[in-house]
Amino acid sequence: MSQNPKEKRQYDAENRKQYKTLWNTSLMGATCADPLCCCGSLLCPPCASYAVRKRVLYDDMSRYVCCGGHCPCSGKMGEQSSPELCLACEVCCCFSQSVASSRFLIQDEFHIENTACDNCLVGFMICISQVACVFRLLACLTGNDELERLADILSCIADLTYCSVCACMQTQHKVELDVRDGTREKLKEGTYNYTAGGHRPQNIPMQPMTTAPGAQQMGYGQAPPTYAQPGYGQPPPYAQPAGYGQPPPYAQPAQGYGQPYPPPQGGYAPQPGYAPQGGYPQQGYPPPRY
């Protein structure tokens, strides 16, 4: 049964609460785990988001869907015709959603949960942004200079928090992908065991963990299975009773079926109105003297 985007987000959010695998590095330790990537994410966040999403898809852009399928516009932006251009527009126009979508794709594939510290940092980033927006609206409505200065301070704090958390988040994603692709060793226990069949080759399509499989699945490029059918196009052989199509035998009379009965002894009595056999004798015949 198909789901609309809102139901899908709720379903995925409930599913992610059951994930037990850990990230190879937390948001707090991402800067130390890969300082160069963290600096690059600070200087050019859209470029980092583009590179991370492409690696999440195993460099197979034919599988790209706008915002990872989590928005109403997903699948309706012409992704199949020009996925690279659509991804570039996504990371530039919807940067925060592009980072969140890449995070969800990684979590759904390997069942990775957020730590309490990760949730606190992300929650603080969202709350401070909302508070700054509220004070900015109040300052515009009232014209109060004090509220205007307070809104500027909150906006600056929100921007700094947003940039730093997004940079750490993208570094965290990059470290996880490095471990997945075998270019980095595992950093701690409790993470996904990629060496035990976890690493998925690039030529094998990836199915999200939250997507129920279809009734039948076949390998890519393989013909559908054929099933042996006896005498396809011919009616199936049914067991026929013995002598099918022949009339059943009936009991015959003792003297033979179809034979006339013998006449009674002495012949049949003449019927009135009918001449006897041989005709009637003529009158005066035979002569008296004969």
Side-chain angles (χ1 to χ4, degrees):
M1 182 178 64
S2 60
Q3 296 176 322
N4 59 44
K6 183 178 179 180
E7 293 177 345
K8 184 179 185 301
R9 287 194 298 269
Q10 295 175 351
Y11 176 80
D12 292 342
E14 291 297 324
N15 258 8
R16 293 186 187 106
K17 294 179 181 179
Q18 304 175 10
Y19 295 169
K20 300 301 180 183
T21 309
L22 302 178
W23 292 94
N24 274 277
T25 181
S26 63
L27 286 178
M28 294 288 290
T31 303
C32 297
D34 198 331
L36 292 178
C37 178
C38 188
C39 293
S41 300
L42 279 173
L43 296 176
C44 187
C47 297
S49 181
Y50 186 98
V52 168
R53 177 67 66 81
K54 192 172 181 180
R55 287 191 61 186
V56 169
L57 300 175
Y58 298 90
D59 294 328
D60 183 8
M61 293 302 292
S62 63
R63 296 169 48 238
Y64 167 74
V65 179
C66 180
C67 298
H70 297 91
C71 293
C73 63
S74 301
K76 304 176 183 178
M77 307 301 293
E79 296 94 331
Q80 298 302 320
S81 59
S82 54
E84 291 82 4
L85 178 60
C86 290
L87 179 57
C89 294
E90 177 187 337
V91 299
C92 293
C93 301
C94 307
F95 171 72
S96 59
Q97 182 62 43
S98 70
V99 176
S101 298
S102 298
R103 187 176 186 84
F104 293 153
L105 289 173
I106 296 174
Q107 287 183 293
D108 292 342
E109 182 178 3
F110 302 114
H111 289 184
I112 301 176
E113 67 172 351
N114 287 328
T115 63
C117 181
D118 294 349
N119 290 331
C120 288
L121 289 174
V122 175
F124 177 75
M125 176 188 69
I126 296 174
C127 289
I128 195 65
S129 300
Q130 298 297 323
V131 171
C133 181
V134 170
F135 273 86
R136 181 69 65 186
L137 290 175
L138 292 176
C140 292
L141 293 175
T142 60
N144 191 320
D145 294 337
E146 295 295 332
L147 287 178
E148 185 70 27
R149 285 192 292 269
L150 182 58
D152 291 339
I153 295 173
L154 290 174
S155 296
C156 183
I157 296 174
D159 292 341
L160 290 175
T161 305
Y162 177 79
C163 293
S164 60
V165 171
C166 283
C168 293
M169 191 177 293
Q170 297 203 85
T171 305
Q172 186 185 43
H173 300 166
K174 194 256 184 184
V175 170
E176 193 70 28
L177 294 175
D178 287 344
V179 178
R180 182 199 71 179
D181 296 338
T183 59
R184 184 190 294 265
E185 297 293 332
K186 290 179 62 174
L187 301 182
K188 60 182 178 181
E189 296 298 325
T191 59
Y192 192 86
N193 189 9
Y194 297 99
T195 58
H199 173 56
R200 189 185 304 272
Q202 296 184 10
N203 61 345
I204 299 179
M206 176 186 65
Q207 295 292 339
M209 293 294 186
T210 57
T211 303
Q216 293 181 352
Q217 294 180 349
M218 64 187 69
Y220 179 78
Q222 297 180 357
T226 56
Y227 302 95
Q229 296 184 1
Y232 183 75
Q234 302 295 330
Y238 295 101
Q240 304 291 347
Y244 182 78
Q246 302 295 328
Y250 295 99
Q252 303 295 341
Q255 295 182 356
Y257 180 75
Q259 300 296 327
Y261 288 96
Q265 189 176 2
Y268 294 100
Q271 298 296 329
Y274 289 92
Q277 189 175 5
Y280 291 98
Q282 298 180 4
Q283 294 294 331
Y285 183 83
R289 294 187 300 273
Y290 182 73

